[in-house]
């Protein structure tokens, strides 16, 4: 009957919308996890794991330098740490562009301080934050899952304590 067909059509449309919303939430969660994993791996000097968060041809722009490709990222982050870093991430906003692409903006409050060579596990004394700014990201779905395709740090506040 016409009523049954209309009801079935409405249910199918509602189910499709729910699936789309569910898929969108999964994409947002995967991208937010990349944002947080970046901060964690960067802070813990895990360069190889950090590089794996990016696509093979990814681009990272920070502090006036741009690194292109996963190999360049590996080289950037493989050096032994002379400073302790902490990236405090917040206000992560992910926008799903499609089933295989998303963009994001997140805030980062970054602290850094020299590691004491005689006591490398000691707390680091800092007088101020290093920088506060935004990461502007593009994410892509790859065969290995969601990855960062591009990341650009845009400083908003810089410390004058250096």
């Amino acid at each position: 009957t016409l009523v049954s067909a209309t009801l079935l059509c409405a249910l199918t449309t509602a189910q499709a919308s729910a699936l789309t919303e569910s898929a969108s939430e999964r994409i947002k969660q995967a991208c937010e996890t990349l944002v947080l994993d970046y901060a964690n791996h960067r802070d813990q000097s895990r360069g190889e794991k950090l590089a794996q968060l990016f696509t093979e041809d990814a681009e990272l722009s920070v502090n006036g330098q741009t690194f292109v490709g996963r190999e360049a990222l590996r080289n950037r982050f493989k050096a032994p740490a002379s400073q302790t870093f902490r990236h405090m991430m917040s206000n992560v906003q992910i926008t799903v562009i499609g089933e295989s692409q998303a963009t994001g903006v997140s805030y980062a409050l970054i602290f850094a301080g020299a590691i004491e060579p005689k006591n490398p596990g000691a707390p680091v004394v800092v007088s101020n934050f290093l920088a506060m700014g935004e990461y502007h990201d593009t994410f892509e779905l790859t065969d290995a899952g969601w990855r960062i395709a591009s990341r650009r740090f845009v400083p908003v506040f810089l410390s004058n304590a250096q």
Side-chain angles (χ1 to χ4, degrees):
T1 69
L2 181 59
V3 173
S4 297
T6 303
L7 184 57
L8 180 60
C9 183
L11 285 173
T12 303
T13 303
Q15 288 171 337
S17 294
L19 288 175
T20 302
E21 186 175 323
S22 174
S24 179
E25 288 305 312
R26 283 194 302 274
I27 293 168
K28 287 179 180 182
Q29 184 60 54
C31 295
E32 185 172 345
T33 297
L34 287 168
V35 168
L36 299 177
D37 284 351
Y38 174 92
N40 188 270
H41 293 322
R42 178 70 178 101
D43 293 346
Q44 301 303 320
S45 299
R46 293 188 292 254
E48 182 58 35
K49 287 186 176 186
L50 187 63
Q52 291 300 318
L53 299 176
F54 290 84
T55 61
E56 284 292 339
D57 60 348
E59 189 172 293
L60 172 67
S61 297
V62 291
N63 303 326
Q65 296 179 296
T66 298
F67 304 90
V68 179
R70 194 180 284 161
E71 193 59 35
L73 294 171
R74 274 190 194 96
N75 290 334
R76 163 81 164 97
F77 296 116
K78 74 178 179 182
S82 61
Q83 290 187 306
T84 295
F85 287 92
R86 287 298 180 268
H87 291 69
M88 310 301 292
M89 305 303 298
S90 66
N91 297 27
V92 180
Q93 295 291 314
I94 306 297
T95 302
V96 177
I97 304 301
E99 60 186 38
S100 62
Q101 189 175 25
T103 60
V105 176
S106 55
Y107 292 179
L109 177 59
I110 304 167
F111 293 87
I115 295 172
E116 176 58 50
K118 295 180 182 175
N119 192 1
V124 175
V125 176
V126 295
S127 60
N128 207 339
F129 65 92
L130 179 65
M132 188 282 156
E134 300 171 353
Y135 280 109
H136 292 248
D137 298 314
T138 301
F139 305 97
E140 290 180 4
L141 181 60
T142 70
D143 291 341
W146 284 92
R147 296 292 182 263
I148 301 168
S150 69
R151 169 161 267 216
R152 180 172 51 95
F153 181 71
V154 179
V156 176
F157 300 106
L158 297 173
S159 171
N160 62 3
Q162 299 165 357

